Amino acid sequence: MATSTSDSPRAALTQLTDDERLFRDSVYAFADREIRPRARSMDEHAKMPREVIDKLFDLGVMGIEIPEPFGGGGGTFFHSVLAVEALSRVDPSIGVLVDVQNTLVINALLRWATDGQKQTYLPALARGAVGAYALSEASSGSDAFALATRAVEGDGGWLLNGRKLWITNGAEAELFVVFATIDPAAGYKGITAFLVERGYEGFSVGRKEDKLGIRASSTCELVFERCRVPAGNVLGEVGKGYRTAIETLNEGRIGIGAQMIGLAQGALDHAVAYTKERRQFGKAIAEFQAVQHQLARAATEVHAARLMVYEAARLRDARQPFLSEAAMCKLAASETAERVASLAVNLFGGNGFVKDYPVEKLYRDAKIGQIYEGTSNLQLQTIAKQLLGH
């Protein structure tokens, strides 16, 4: 067998550079200090205080990949994944706010925006503007490109008409990446992406959904009634929005994987600590072999899901193909999060079923991971197509 001539051993997927480790630890310390005391109140009131969002901007996690000349952190996609994971250990609602901002909105602009659009919007997104990504509609959930929202050219720009549903960050966002069709008969070839500012004439934010989990994260309806969008606010090329959406969503799925492994790790942390304290039959339940085995299996599943998320993120940063890996990591991480959060509730006993303890919230938060940014069935279909060469 040939001996490797590499000067240094290849790093493990979970081995972080000093910069990555310090960044992750600082984000988690922030979450533990600033978010944890507010998590239950934000969940109960289904609202994220603006002061919390401002602190996230001050921390630098709302513009991680924005180049430094535009006011951002100049970081990597992997940095974004670490931030989402660290925040989601404490509150997945905060994790998804940061995820959408970075993996969907900012990445779409970095790849598809003109120089003028970057000059206008990237500094704002780094400084204090929240972004949202508006694709889903009432009749286009899993069939995401069966869009009814219509864009018609005229008056030196575009007029948008239609409704979007289930838009994360809808209540807080100032900039929306909106997908509409310029020609329904053209199918996906008619889809075009637009940059829509909150104050544009004919645009309004409609109903805010009352949700099972991640309740502090806003999920809203968007209404377009002859919404006027300047001609210069087309993102990418007219009729090429399908590619913009599909490539951005592939990255977004890695972000949701990061959210879910953060949630799962948070639930496991709580379970481990509580089983050392909860006593039954004269000893801590952590001393029972059955409990030990359940915790060991959960830790194994979380570690495996983390490896998949990190691999997909590393591949993306290396500009290597990652379509299957993104689908796999979202599938595995979301299912792991639900199982581990459920186990945590079980191990807490009756206390796990009440809101006084944090695992009840994490169990509710976990369910969405198998639904948004592509259901588990869609991830399986993507993996199967790649596997079979379809």
Side-chain angles (χ1 to χ4, degrees), residues 230-276:
N233 276 42
V234 172
L235 180 63
E237 297 180 45
V238 173
K240 299 293 180 66
Y242 175 86
R243 183 180 176 190
T244 302
I246 217 69
E247 291 190 10
T248 309
L249 284 172
N250 288 336
E251 296 171 342
R253 286 166 183 162
I254 304 173
I256 297 303
Q259 181 200 26
M260 290 293 113
I261 60 172
L263 187 161
Q265 186 65 59
L268 182 59
D269 292 344
H270 288 301
V272 168
Y274 191 73
T275 57
K276 293 177 180 178

Side-chain angles (χ1 to χ4, degrees), residues 207-339:
R207 173 184 171 180
K208 179 182 175 184
E209 301 294 345
D210 187 8
K211 308 193 301 288
L212 169 72
I214 60 166
R215 290 175 52 79
S217 166
S218 66
T219 303
C220 300
E221 174 190 35
L222 308 182
V223 182
F224 303 88
E225 297 174 323
R226 294 182 61 80
C227 173
R228 295 182 178 275
V229 180
N233 276 42
V234 172
L235 180 63
E237 297 180 45
V238 173
K240 299 293 180 66
Y242 175 86
R243 183 180 176 190
T244 302
I246 217 69
E247 291 190 10
T248 309
L249 284 172
N250 288 336
E251 296 171 342
R253 286 166 183 162
I254 304 173
I256 297 303
Q259 181 200 26
M260 290 293 113
I261 60 172
L263 187 161
Q265 186 65 59
L268 182 59
D269 292 344
H270 288 301
V272 168
Y274 191 73
T275 57
K276 293 177 180 178
E277 298 173 1
R278 183 184 176 199
R279 299 184 67 81
Q280 295 289 293
F281 305 103
K283 58 183 177 180
I285 64 170
E287 296 182 36
F288 292 104
Q289 188 181 64
V291 171
Q292 293 172 359
H293 286 186
Q294 290 180 85
L295 291 172
R297 186 175 296 279
T300 301
E301 291 186 6
V302 173
H303 183 65
R306 179 176 289 111
L307 289 173
M308 296 177 78
V309 172
Y310 283 15
E311 180 194 32
R314 297 286 197 196
L315 286 171
R316 188 271 185 192
D317 276 337
R319 299 187 179 181
Q320 298 295 313
F322 61 89
L323 176 60
S324 291
E325 289 81 2
M328 288 176 177
C329 82
K330 181 184 182 295
L331 176 72
S334 61
E335 293 184 350
T336 295
E338 186 177 51
R339 285 194 296 269

Side-chain angles (χ1 to χ4, degrees), residues 137-208:
E137 299 180 4
S139 298
S140 58
S142 292
D143 185 7
F145 300 105
L147 300 183
T149 299
R150 185 76 187 273
V152 178
E153 195 170 11
D155 296 330
W158 298 84
L159 292 177
L160 271 59
N161 288 282
R163 277 174 160 74
K164 296 290 182 180
L165 291 181
W166 311 300
I167 306 306
T168 302
N169 297 353
E172 300 85 10
E174 297 176 39
L175 178 68
F176 299 79
V177 179
V178 179
F179 294 86
T181 181
I182 61 171
D183 181 6
Y188 73 89
K189 293 183 179 180
I191 296 169
T192 303
F194 299 88
L195 296 172
V196 178
E197 297 180 23
R198 191 179 191 88
Y200 280 175
E201 177 185 351
F203 170 71
S204 61
V205 177
R207 173 184 171 180
K208 179 182 175 184

Side-chain angles (χ1 to χ4, degrees), residues 50-107:
R50 181 66 210 194
E51 65 179 289
V52 171
I53 298 173
D54 289 341
K55 288 176 182 290
L56 292 167
F57 277 102
D58 291 341
L59 184 65
V61 296
M62 296 295 278
I64 293 170
E65 289 185 78
I66 293 177
E68 292 180 1
F70 293 107
T76 65
F77 182 81
F78 191 74
H79 281 106
S80 296
V81 162
L82 291 175
V84 172
E85 178 189 4
L87 292 165
S88 298
R89 281 179 66 186
V90 175
D91 190 348
S93 294
I94 301 292
V96 77
L97 170 85
V98 172
D99 174 44
V100 168
Q101 178 89 353
N102 286 281
T103 71
L104 293 182
V105 177
I106 289 171
N107 268 326

